[in-house]
């Protein structure tokens, strides 16, 4: 097992474009989390899944953001009509229920 | 929601010194983890420690759940220990998300 994998590692996009990020969790993990981190801050929760069900969404997750985990394996996070304020590191983590969470390398988004 | 406070916010040490990082939390927790964020942004797991004491080489951690705090000890610090250390918790009986503190930025000088 290679751990949690995120792609792409870096993304530069123009304001107004849509972007999609992918997260492949550790294979046996049923929980998958998305976080966002801006410079100098701790990671902020966006949403999490248990298997394919999205169980909680943060108020940070505006209607421009959507996340899916269609078969309970990998997940995608899409941001529509990107804004400069969306520039951040997007982190994915996975775990078994109630157990230790492991993070991927993150996707760094820059909106120009 | 639960509040997680880390102290100090910044710490500068000479190589070889010891340090203690603190994490206070405002509610009972089921899960507490310590992470080290490397220069590329990845969060590296240090300890999963909802209670008790654990040691891993030069690092050790203690969580006193009844008093709602955790401590991370770094002994004989090395320049490679530099970076940001985060504490994160999951509350009992509430949301299952990890809530992070703002971190402690550690700089170890040669």
């Amino acid at each position: 097992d290679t751990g949690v994998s995120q792609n792409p590692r870096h993304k530069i996009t123009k304001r107004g474009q849509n972007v999609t990020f992918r997260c492949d969790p550790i294979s046996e993990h049923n929980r998958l989390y998305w976080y966002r981190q801006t410079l100098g801050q701790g990671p902020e929760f966006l949403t999490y899944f248990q298997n394919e069900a999205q169980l909680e969404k943060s108020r940070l997750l505006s209607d421009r953001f959507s996340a899916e985990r269609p078969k309970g394996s990998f997940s995608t996070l899409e941001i529509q009509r990107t804004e400069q304020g969306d520039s951040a590191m997007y982190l994915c983590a996975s775990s078994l229920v109630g157990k230790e969470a492991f993070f991927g390398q993150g996707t760094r988004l820059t909106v120009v | 929601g639960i509040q997680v406070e880390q102290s100090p916010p910044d710490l500068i040490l000479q190589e070889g010194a010891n340090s203690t990082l603190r994490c206070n939390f405002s509610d009972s927790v089921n899960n507490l983890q310590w992470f080290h964020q490397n220069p590329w942004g990845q969060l590296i797991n240090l300890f999963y420690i909802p209670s008790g004491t654990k040691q891993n080489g030069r690092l050790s951690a203690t969580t006193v759940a009844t008093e709602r705090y955790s401590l991370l000890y770094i002994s004989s610090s090395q320049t490679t220990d530099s970076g940001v250390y985060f504490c994160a918790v999951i509350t009992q009986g509430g949301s299952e998300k990890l809530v992070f503190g703002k971190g402690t930025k550690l700089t170890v000088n040669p």
Side-chain angles (χ1 to χ4, degrees), chain A residues 31 35 37 56 98 100-101, chain B residues 33 37 45 95-98:
Chain A
R31 286 258 170 101
Y35 284 79
Q37 187 179 22
E56 186 175 347
E100 186 176 6
Chain B
Q33 293 186 237
Q37 191 160 41
N45 289 42
S95 168
E96 296 282 324
K97 62 179 182 283
L98 270 171

Side-chain angles (χ1 to χ4, degrees), chain B residues 29-59:
Chain B
V29 299
N30 283 332
N31 177 350
L32 188 147
Q33 293 186 237
W34 284 98
F35 297 92
H36 177 211
Q37 191 160 41
N38 68 20
W40 298 273
Q42 186 170 7
L43 289 165
I44 307 300
N45 289 42
L46 297 178
F47 294 101
Y48 170 70
I49 186 166
S51 63
T53 297
K54 291 186 177 179
Q55 180 156 8
N56 184 4
R58 296 181 296 103
L59 273 60

